[in-house]
Amino acid sequence: MNRKVTVVGSGHVGATAARSIADKELADVVILDILEGVPQGKGLDMLEACPVEGSDARVLGTNDYADTARSDIVVITAGLARKPGMSRDDLLMKNSEIIKSVTEQVMTHSPDCIILPVTNPLDAMAQVVYRVSGLPRERVIGMAGVLDSARMRAFIAQELNVSVENTHAFVLGGHGDTMVPLPRYSTVAGIPITELMEADRVDAIVKRTAQGGAEIVKLLGTGSAYYAPGSAIVEMVEAVLKDKKKILPCSVFLQGEYGIHDVFVGVPVKLGERGLEEIVQITLTPEEDAALQKSAAAVRELVQVINA
Ligand SMILES: NC(=O)c1ccc[n+]([C@@H]2O[C@H](COP(=O)([O-])OP(=O)(O)OC[C@H]3O[C@@H](n4cnc5c(N)ncnc54)[C@H](O)[C@@H]3O)[C@@H](O)[C@H]2O)c1
């Protein structure tokens, strides 16, 4: 196999994504962490799963960036979770330092890669990757919208008792409290959900989607979601490696699209072998647009704190 995907961070999200990339035989996988032994152990465990899965992917766990050399895609999940007593700004500063140092090392060994940042706060961390890497905006694509819309699709399918395969959902904006689920563009077999359920049910789904991450954090008691985030990462990796030209909501650096300048925000994009191949502009109502602008302003505030 000649494609190579590196996953930085061998925690819950990184390991889940790495395993699925190997199982699906999308590429050889390198999983890297600062913890000694953990990426090596998880990597070996994944490699040993491959014969059962029928995959010839080679998986390597490491602490050494030299092993990541010439990766086609680098997924960054490294970071700290918020601990008791830590403010959002503390987390922001700590994770931006981690992301900066990870990005520098990634670029030394894979100067032409496509980077998919995942670490939270997602949009601000994507901006750090973009600034530090010096890559064109087409090659830095944050994962959030695919996860948020997967959650919305699951809720729609449950509500209407239909196959998830019939569902599409659109969630724009920053990955946080200000995200903007768009019911008008969320459909079942092409029919907007606004025509399929009462307004109060639509509102409930929108609200649950926006709080989807928090709902799982509360249930788990410690840590945050990783199965759906892992699947969302893999969908993006697959779209790039297979040049699928898939339209997915992703966090990208906007330069005037949707009237937003110089900040990462989630919008629909076309993903293919060149990374971000097109930003799809959809018409928004004044209310939807106001919500998107508010969400962009919230990301901008974070970005200003870390000067990215
Ligand atoms: N964008 C999204 O939609 C989304 C979804 C889920 C989780 N996340 C975020 O992804 C991140 C990872 O979540 P998780 O549940 O896997 O956390 P986790 O704590 O299980 O794993 C994080 C890993 O990063 C490693 N790490 C820390 N500093 C590092 C460094 N400098 N270099 C390499 N590795 C380093 C840690 O050792 C740990 O193994 C978090 O920031 C989380 O908030 C984002």
Side-chain angles (χ1 to χ4, degrees), residues 40-116:
Q40 289 86 348
K42 289 190 181 181
L44 183 58
D45 198 8
M46 288 176 207
L47 181 80
E48 291 167 357
C50 285
V52 183
E53 301 295 338
S55 165
D56 281 308
R58 286 169 293 190
V59 188
L60 176 74
T62 186
N63 305 119
D64 185 353
Y65 278 88
D67 292 322
T68 71
R70 291 175 298 285
S71 293
D72 297 286
I73 298 179
V74 177
V75 179
I76 302 181
T77 72
L80 300 182
R82 197 160 146 204
K83 299 200 178 74
M86 202 189 230
S87 73
R88 265 179 204 275
D89 281 357
D90 291 341
L91 181 70
L92 182 67
M93 296 312 289
K94 289 231 157 39
N95 277 353
S96 67
E97 281 160 27
I98 291 173
I99 295 305
K100 182 170 180 289
S101 108
V102 167
T103 304
E104 284 165 353
Q105 296 176 84
V106 165
M107 292 307 294
T108 306
H109 297 279
S110 304
D112 300 319
C113 67
I114 287 174
I115 303 185
L116 307 182

Side-chain angles (χ1 to χ4, degrees), residues 154-169:
F155 302 148
I156 292 168
Q158 250 182 358
E159 175 73 23
L160 295 172
N161 193 24
V162 295
S163 165
V164 289
E165 289 183 44
N166 284 137
T167 63
H168 271 277

Side-chain angles (χ1 to χ4, degrees), residues 13-215:
V13 176
T16 306
R19 179 173 184 205
S20 178
I21 293 165
D23 282 358
K24 291 185 160 208
E25 212 177 35
L26 295 177
D28 289 339
V29 179
V30 175
I31 180 157
L32 182 145
D33 204 290
I34 38 163
L35 297 176
E36 284 181 24
V38 174
Q40 289 86 348
K42 289 190 181 181
L44 183 58
D45 198 8
M46 288 176 207
L47 181 80
E48 291 167 357
C50 285
V52 183
E53 301 295 338
S55 165
D56 281 308
R58 286 169 293 190
V59 188
L60 176 74
T62 186
N63 305 119
D64 185 353
Y65 278 88
D67 292 322
T68 71
R70 291 175 298 285
S71 293
D72 297 286
I73 298 179
V74 177
V75 179
I76 302 181
T77 72
L80 300 182
R82 197 160 146 204
K83 299 200 178 74
M86 202 189 230
S87 73
R88 265 179 204 275
D89 281 357
D90 291 341
L91 181 70
L92 182 67
M93 296 312 289
K94 289 231 157 39
N95 277 353
S96 67
E97 281 160 27
I98 291 173
I99 295 305
K100 182 170 180 289
S101 108
V102 167
T103 304
E104 284 165 353
Q105 296 176 84
V106 165
M107 292 307 294
T108 306
H109 297 279
S110 304
D112 300 319
C113 67
I114 287 174
I115 303 185
L116 307 182
V118 177
T119 306
N120 276 323
L122 184 272
D123 308 277
M125 293 304 108
Q127 190 126 343
V128 173
V129 172
Y130 175 64
R131 296 288 190 215
V132 173
S133 67
L135 285 168
R137 70 167 177 162
E138 288 73 19
R139 301 182 91 76
V140 180
I141 309 149
M143 189 292 283
V146 178
L147 168 64
D148 298 326
S149 42
R151 287 181 171 144
M152 189 165 174
R153 289 176 63 191
F155 302 148
I156 292 168
Q158 250 182 358
E159 175 73 23
L160 295 172
N161 193 24
V162 295
S163 165
V164 289
E165 289 183 44
N166 284 137
T167 63
H168 271 277
F170 253 109
V171 181
L172 307 187
H175 183 53
D177 308 338
T178 60
M179 76 175 71
V180 188
L182 293 180
R184 284 190 316 124
Y185 285 103
S186 300
T187 60
V188 172
I191 307 161
I193 59 166
T194 44
E195 292 178 25
L196 296 172
M197 54 179 106
E198 298 297 327
D200 63 329
R201 297 311 303 155
V202 173
D203 288 347
I205 286 176
V206 164
K207 205 165 159 215
R208 194 172 175 197
T209 301
Q211 293 168 357
E215 183 178 3

